Amino acid sequence: MTDPQPQPPVSLQDQAWFAGVLLLYALVELSFNHRMLELTDVVLSDHDLDGLQFWGRIIAGFGLSMLLLRWLDLRMAQRWQAVVLSFALGMTLMWHFQKMVIDHLVDSAPIAEKKLSVYLLNIADLGAQGQLRIKGEALGTPNMALSVREAVKTLFPAAALGTPLSDFEAPASGWVAQPPALPTSTATDMLDNAYRNTITPPIALGLSSFFGLLNLAQGVGLAVLIGLRRQGHPRWAGWLRRHLLALTAALCLGLTAMHQNDFIDSPGYATQLSPAMWKHNTVLAVFIAWNLRAEPAWYALSEWAHHQLLRGFMFSKL
C-alpha cells in the first residue's frame, strides 16, 4: 500500500484571509492619502515633510510587495521564499524610487522656480476656492465639492510651476500677481523646503493611490473568485482566476481615470494650466493629472477609512 501523495499548498489567491489583507491594506493606503490632504492646508514643517515621505515610501513599498507576492506565490516552491523576495524587492524599489525622484527634481530645479513655488503655495487656497483665473479663463468654480477643493489646494502649486505668476489673477479676492522677488539672501534651505512642499504631495499621493487601488481591485476580485467557488460555480471561478488582475485593475483604474470634476472640466485648466503643466515637467504632470481625478473620486472612502478605521492616525515620523 503506497502512501498518499501530499497535497500541494493552497495558493494565496485562493485564501479568504489574503483577500482581507489586501482590502485592509488598500484602506490604510487611502487613509494616508486623506491625511496628506489634511496636512497640506499649511506649509509643512521639516518634521511633517519627513513623516509624509517616510510613510509614503513604506506604504507604497508594501503595496508593490503585495502585488509581487501573489505573482511569486504561484511560481516559487516555498511560500517563505516568495514572501522574502517580494518584500525585499517591493520595499527597496519604492523606498529608493520615491526618494530618487524627489531629490532629482529638487536638485535640478532652478532658483527662480523654487522662488515661484513659495508664491504658489501661498495662493493655493485661492485656487481651491475657485477664485483664480488664468489668462482670463476660470480655474474651477466657487462651488466645487470639498473633495475637489482639498485636491486642488494640495496639487495646484505643483501644477502651476510651468506658468508665470503674472498669468494668474483673482479679482474677487483683491489679490494681485506680483513677480517673484524674494530677497537674494533667501536661504537655500528655505527654498528647497518650499519646493519639496510643492512636489512631494503629488508624487506621494500618486504612488499611494495607484498601488492602493490596484490592491483594492485585487482584493475585491479575489473575494468574488472565492465566493463563486463556494457557491458552486467553478467554471466562472476558473475563468476569473486567469483574468483576475487585468479585469479588476482595468475596471478600478479605468473608472478613476474617467472621473470628472469642476476643476479639470474648467476652461482655465483644460486650455491653459494643463498644457503648460505637461510642457513644463512630464513626470510631475503624470502624478498631478492622475491625482486630480483619483483623490476626489475616492475621497469619501479615504475620509471614512482615516477617521473611522484608523481613528485619525497622524502618519508622523517618530
Side-chain angles (χ1 to χ4, degrees):
M1 182 175 178
T2 58
D3 294 332
Q5 293 294 320
Q7 295 295 316
V10 179
S11 67
L12 283 177
Q13 70 174 22
D14 294 323
Q15 301 190 45
W17 68 264
F18 184 64
V21 169
L22 292 174
L23 293 173
L24 179 61
Y25 157 76
L27 292 175
V28 171
E29 190 90 68
L30 292 173
S31 298
F32 171 74
N33 284 21
H34 184 263
R35 175 57 181 161
M36 194 178 306
L37 294 178
E38 285 185 336
L39 271 176
T40 47
D41 275 350
V42 295
V43 176
L44 301 177
S45 65
D46 289 341
H47 178 75
D48 286 336
L49 194 58
D50 287 345
L52 283 184
Q53 293 183 82
F54 172 79
W55 281 104
R57 292 195 291 263
I58 290 292
I59 293 175
F62 190 88
L64 178 57
S65 300
M66 296 301 286
L67 291 172
L68 292 172
L69 178 57
R70 174 176 168 267
W71 186 82
L72 290 173
D73 184 65
L74 298 172
R75 291 161 176 80
M76 301 189 74
Q78 299 292 328
R79 179 164 295 159
W80 70 267
Q81 295 174 334
V83 172
V84 171
L85 182 58
S86 63
F87 276 86
L89 286 174
M91 300 299 288
T92 301
L93 286 173
M94 292 314 303
W95 183 273
H96 290 290
F97 174 76
Q98 186 167 323
K99 185 176 187 303
M100 178 184 67
V101 171
I102 292 174
D103 287 348
H104 170 72
L105 291 174
V106 172
D107 293 340
S108 61
I111 293 296
E113 188 169 307
K114 293 179 181 179
K115 289 183 177 181
L116 176 60
S117 70
V118 176
Y119 288 85
L120 294 174
L121 288 167
N122 288 329
I123 64 170
D125 191 51
L126 292 175
Q129 295 171 18
Q131 295 188 27
L132 281 179
R133 303 179 72 85
I134 176 172
K135 293 185 177 180
E137 300 279 5
L139 273 174
T141 64
N143 60 348
M144 289 185 292
L146 174 62
S147 59
V148 181
R149 295 201 306 270
E150 292 287 337
V152 171
K153 181 178 253 186
T154 301
L155 301 168
F156 170 78
L161 283 173
T163 304
L165 191 66
S166 57
D167 286 355
F168 295 102
E169 58 180 352
S173 70
W175 177 82
V176 179
Q178 297 290 338
L182 292 175
T184 55
S185 60
T186 302
T188 301
D189 288 346
M190 189 273 277
L191 292 178
D192 284 352
N193 179 266
Y195 199 73
R196 283 184 185 276
N197 267 277
T198 302
I199 65 170
T200 295
I203 294 172
L205 276 172
L207 292 172
S208 175
S209 61
F210 179 74
F211 286 115
L213 293 178
L214 273 182
N215 279 289
L216 178 65
Q218 183 177 214
V220 170
L222 288 177
V224 172
L225 184 153
I226 293 168
L228 286 173
R229 187 180 297 113
R230 292 180 177 178
Q231 292 297 316
H233 301 286
R235 292 180 60 185
W236 281 98
W239 184 86
L240 179 61
R241 182 188 180 110
R242 290 191 296 273
H243 305 285
L244 171 69
L245 187 56
L247 283 173
T248 53
L251 180 63
C252 189
L253 298 182
L255 289 175
T256 303
M258 291 188 295
H259 181 78
Q260 302 292 314
N261 60 63
D262 288 342
F263 187 79
I264 58 179
D265 289 339
S266 65
Y269 177 79
T271 64
Q272 302 294 335
L273 189 62
S274 180
M277 176 180 79
W278 284 98
K279 184 178 180 180
H280 171 254
N281 191 308
T282 304
V283 174
L284 266 180
V286 169
F287 288 106
I288 296 165
W290 164 257
N291 288 324
L292 282 172
R293 297 179 186 272
E295 299 312 317
W298 296 93
Y299 185 84
L301 181 58
S302 64
E303 181 182 36
W304 174 86
H306 182 212
H307 288 302
Q308 302 301 320
L309 186 65
L310 295 192
R311 311 305 298 174
F313 184 68
M314 301 296 287
F315 290 101
S316 58
K317 190 174 181 182
L318 300 178

